[in-house]
Structure formats: structure tokens, C-alpha cells
Amino acid sequence: MAVALGLVLLVPTPSTGIPQPEWQLLLLFVAAIAAVLWHPYPIGVMVLAALAFGLCTQLLTLRQALAGFSSSVTWIIVSAFLFSRAFVKTGLGRRIALHFIRRLGSSSLRLGYALGLTDLVLAPVTASNTARTGGIIFPVARSLAEEFDSHPGPSARRIGSYLLFTAFQCNVVTSAMFLTAMAANGLSARFALETANVQITWGLWFAAASVPGVLSLLLTPWLIYRLYTPELRRTPEAAAYAREKLAELGPMKPAEKIMLGVFVALALTWGTSQWHPISTVAAALAAVTLLLLTRVLEWEDVTGEKSAWDTFIWFGGFVSLAGALGETSLIPSLVEVAGEWFAGWSGLAALVLLVVVYVYLHYGFASMTSQIIALYAAFLAIAVGAGAPPLLASLLFCFFSNLFASLTHYGDGAAPIYYGSGYIPLKPWWGVGFVLSVAHLVVWLGVGGVWWRVLGVW
């Protein structure tokens, strides 16, 4: 990291008319990206190092360095992490999953939909998709598989492989459907603002993602069922299993009822933001405060939520760096160059090609966040420079910054949990994952394109 930062001052400015401070700021941003990909230290440490270096060398002003930590999206993401903790602490997330299983559990395919619907319900207010699926969905799915005597090894294909693979792939889709369903979604939205001057709100994200998202969510369990069919197809015992576990949980506790009420109120407030003056961050902070005042969450839960504050540091830091870069002339220059590269292309054709390339470059990345940091702004700038509608391009790269995680067993934080369970071999993971990636491209570029035309996105 020290070497990378040192090169910021040593690499000469190219003879292209770029002012030296802007060139060095770009190198600082690139050095931070390289450090994230190399990962010699936790990402928060590397972002703080980049900010400190920028301040000491006067490449960044204090306002620029701290701007990301006051961003509304940063605080919405932190609040969603705290909501995720409350779901796990109260047991409400598990109860919701068991209710879906009790209602839909008569077949393995319907069980797949039950797990997907559970994830969909929890997604709007759980910013850690890893915590959502790994901490709530995974234990339920694995316990259910074992209930049917399906274990890693020869009996995995009985039903366990299908349930766990479906749970993971549905999580990929739900993460794309809400701004607050994956920690780095807010970073994508912020890059869209800095790069293309496009403001993506929670309501706009959800409205645009709703139709293609629901279609992808309906398609995913069925496709996996057809491509990686479980041996056990009828599962009447699942409903009995869910009833037994619900009986063990007993009636809803006061904390669960409060949690459910606050969750519904927050989701309604966010979903109707265009009709009232309450901002999304105000609603999120009010909801967390209610959980604290009613002791659903204790203050120790807030201070002990390491993932929230880790994300706060690296997310806010990258927002600051991107914001400072957005104030320079570099982005307009990149847009101008992109226009020359794609001369003679229609903007939509260039956008489709760039989206496809962006998706399959994920084979080379070990997390969604690292690819967003490394490539999102550049691909968006190139697309806009080629004549693509800015809002359409911004949203597409936002959505596919989640959907590309279907490809590999290392592509996001949840994948190693499911792959490490031993239920899903590598070959079907990559093979079925590739087919799902193609299906998502067809759905979101095809049906999504028509839906966005109706919404006036392009």
C-alpha cells in the first residue's frame, strides 16, 4: 500500500493537458482500487490510508475527505445492517421462513420458492446479503435438508443440493431488487451521481427493478429444478417440520411484534417516499431509534455490529474519493474518448455490449464490492460517452453488479458459505450459474427494457 501511494507522487503527468493535481488524484483512486484487489489489509484500513495520504498531500480538502461519511446512502446502509441484526436477534427472520415453508412446502420446487420469498421479504432492510442468507436462510435450508436425510456426499442430490443452491441464487436476485439489499448498492448509486449526474433513490431503484426482479425470482427456482433436479420431488413432511419448529418458537414475542411493526412501517415509508417529505435516511434512523427505545436492540448491539461500522468506513471513504474525482475534468474527458471509440454505434447497442462484458468480467473478481469499485464508474462513463441514456445505463450497471454473482462459488460473501457446505459440486455450480446469468441478461435487458420504457427511464 505504501508503494502504491508513493507512486501517486512519482508517476509523471501525461502530456494530455490533464492538470497535475487531477492526475495525482486519479492515481490515488487507482491505488486504493489496487489495494482492495490485492487485499494486504482490511478494506477499511486501506481506504483510511488513501484519505490520510490525500489530506497530507493536499490532493483532498477536509470537506472532500469527509463528504462520504455524511452521505445519506451511507447512513441508510448502516441502518439496514442494524435491522439485519434485529431480525436475527428476535428470531423473526426464522419465523417468517418457517411460515413460508409451512404454506408452500408440499414439493421441493415449492420449498425453493418458500426460501426465495423469505429472502425477498427480508431484503429491503438487510443491507448485508451475506448476513441475510448466511445467518437466516442458510440454517433453515440446511436443517430442512437434513430433515429429509440429505447430507453432503452421496445423499446431497436427494434435496439438499437443490434447496441450498436455490437459496443462494435467489439471494443474488433479491440483492439486485433494492438499494438497501446489498451493502455496495449504495456505492453504485453514488458512483452514478458522481459519474453521470444521475440520482437513484430507493423508490426509483425498487420501481425499476420490481418487474424484471420478480420475473427472475420466479424463474430461478424453476431453472435450477430443471437443470439440477432433486431426487425427492414431493415433500409433504416439510409442512410438519415447519409446524414443529414454529411450535418450539411459541407465540410471537413482544420484541418480534415490535420488530414486525417497525419493519412494515419503514418499508411503507420508503416505498411511498415520493408522496411525503420524510427522507429515506430520516425514516431509517427513526426506525433504529424505535428499536432502541423499545429495547428490541440494545446500545451494545449497535456498537457491536462490526459489519455496519466496517462498511461505514470503507463505503464512506470510497464515496469521498469518488466525489472528489467527480469534481475534476477527468470524467468528461473519459466520456469524450468513449464517444470516439464507439463512433457509428447506437448508444443502446454499445450499452448492451458493455453490460455483457461487465457481467463476465466477474469471473476475475472475488467480491461484488471489488468489481463495483474497480469498474462501475469507468463502464458507466464509457456507456454514456457512447450515447447510452444515462439513467438507463446507471440502473443496468447497478442491477448487474449483483446479478453477476450467480456465476462462481467465490463471487460474493455468501457463495463460500453455500459452497463450503459440501452440497453443491463445482461443475454444476459454474454450469448452472452460467445458464442463470444468461437468463438474467435476457430478462433484465428484454422485459426490463420494455418496463423501463413504460416508466420513462429511457
Side-chain angles (χ1 to χ4, degrees):
M1 184 66 182
V3 173
L5 292 176
L7 290 174
V8 170
L9 299 179
L10 295 177
V11 174
T13 305
S15 56
T16 56
I18 300 175
Q20 185 179 23
E22 293 188 5
W23 171 248
Q24 291 178 334
L25 183 59
L26 174 62
L27 290 178
L28 178 61
F29 191 69
V30 171
I33 293 172
V36 169
L37 297 178
W38 182 31
H39 209 66
Y41 297 99
I43 186 172
V45 174
M46 295 181 287
V47 171
L48 283 179
L51 291 178
F53 184 88
L55 285 169
C56 290
T57 57
Q58 297 185 333
L59 295 176
L60 294 171
T61 66
L62 186 61
R63 176 192 64 79
Q64 290 173 323
L66 299 181
F69 301 103
S70 63
S71 165
S72 61
V73 176
T74 304
W75 284 99
I76 290 171
I77 297 298
V78 169
S79 300
F81 268 105
L82 299 177
F83 255 83
S84 179
R85 188 179 185 96
F87 267 113
V88 174
K89 181 181 179 181
T90 61
L92 180 61
R94 184 165 184 262
R95 187 184 293 275
I96 290 171
L98 291 170
H99 273 295
F100 277 125
I101 291 169
R102 182 171 66 88
R103 295 284 185 184
L104 300 174
S106 60
S107 71
S108 52
L109 179 60
R110 288 166 67 91
L111 281 173
Y113 282 111
L115 295 172
L117 284 171
T118 303
D119 204 305
L120 178 65
V121 169
L122 301 178
V125 289
T126 48
S128 173
N129 62 324
T130 303
R132 181 171 71 251
T133 191
I136 298 175
I137 310 296
F138 176 80
V140 173
R142 178 150 191 173
S143 297
L144 192 58
E146 293 173 351
E147 189 72 15
F148 287 105
D149 199 26
S150 180
H151 304 276
S155 63
R157 285 294 299 272
R158 180 173 172 79
I159 193 172
S161 298
Y162 173 73
L163 291 180
L164 270 69
F165 202 21
T166 299
F168 169 76
Q169 292 291 353
C170 285
N171 179 256
V172 169
V173 177
T174 60
S175 297
M177 292 180 66
F178 305 93
L179 188 150
T180 46
M182 196 273 283
N185 282 350
L187 193 60
S188 300
R190 189 68 188 190
F191 283 165
L193 180 62
E194 302 295 348
T195 305
N197 197 29
V198 167
Q199 179 78 50
I200 301 177
T201 64
W202 192 95
L204 173 60
W205 185 304
F206 172 63
S210 57
V211 170
V214 167
L215 186 55
S216 272
L217 198 61
L218 290 173
L219 192 61
T220 294
W222 180 82
L223 267 178
I224 298 173
Y225 186 84
R226 301 297 300 176
L227 297 170
Y228 203 56
T229 308
E231 297 168 0
L232 187 62
R233 303 193 183 192
R234 304 300 302 172
T235 58
E237 303 95 329
Y241 165 82
R243 282 194 294 269
E244 177 187 340
K245 295 302 179 182
L246 285 168
E248 291 177 6
L249 289 176
M252 284 187 70
K253 301 173 182 64
E256 288 181 88
K257 293 179 180 178
I258 295 169
M259 179 68 203
L260 180 61
V262 174
F263 165 57
V264 171
L266 180 61
L268 289 173
T269 304
W270 279 354
T272 59
S273 59
Q274 67 269 36
W275 297 315
H276 58 72
I278 303 173
S279 68
T280 50
V281 67
L285 293 177
V288 171
T289 302
L290 280 174
L291 294 178
L292 287 167
L293 293 176
T294 54
R295 298 197 179 279
V296 172
L297 284 176
E298 300 291 343
W299 185 243
E300 290 74 16
D301 294 320
V302 175
T303 57
E305 184 54 47
K306 294 181 180 179
S307 295
W309 302 115
D310 175 57
T311 301
F312 177 79
I313 295 297
W314 70 254
F315 182 95
F318 265 111
V319 168
S320 295
L321 289 171
L325 203 60
E327 294 176 7
T328 69
S329 61
L330 293 172
I331 298 299
S333 298
L334 181 57
V335 170
E336 185 178 336
V337 170
E340 297 174 0
W341 287 348
F342 286 94
W345 287 60
S346 76
L348 291 178
L351 177 59
V352 169
L353 174 62
L354 287 167
V355 166
V356 172
V357 172
Y358 184 75
V359 167
Y360 292 107
L361 281 175
H362 194 60
Y363 281 115
F365 287 86
S367 78
M368 295 186 285
T369 301
S370 61
Q371 183 164 342
I372 291 168
I373 291 170
L375 299 181
Y376 180 96
F379 269 70
L380 178 57
I382 292 170
V384 172
L391 179 55
L392 176 64
S394 299
L395 287 169
L396 273 172
F397 288 118
C398 283
F399 300 147
F400 281 100
S401 292
N402 293 277
L403 295 169
F404 56 31
S406 66
L407 290 169
T408 69
H409 62 297
Y410 55 80
D412 76 347
I417 297 172
Y418 283 86
Y419 180 71
S421 70
Y423 277 90
I424 311 156
L426 187 62
K427 185 176 179 180
W429 189 298
W430 280 50
V432 176
F434 177 80
V435 173
L436 287 169
S437 74
V438 174
H440 294 323
L441 283 165
V442 172
V443 168
W444 290 73
L445 293 175
V447 176
V450 175
W451 172 238
W452 301 325
R453 189 69 168 178
V454 173
L455 289 181
V457 169
W458 63 286

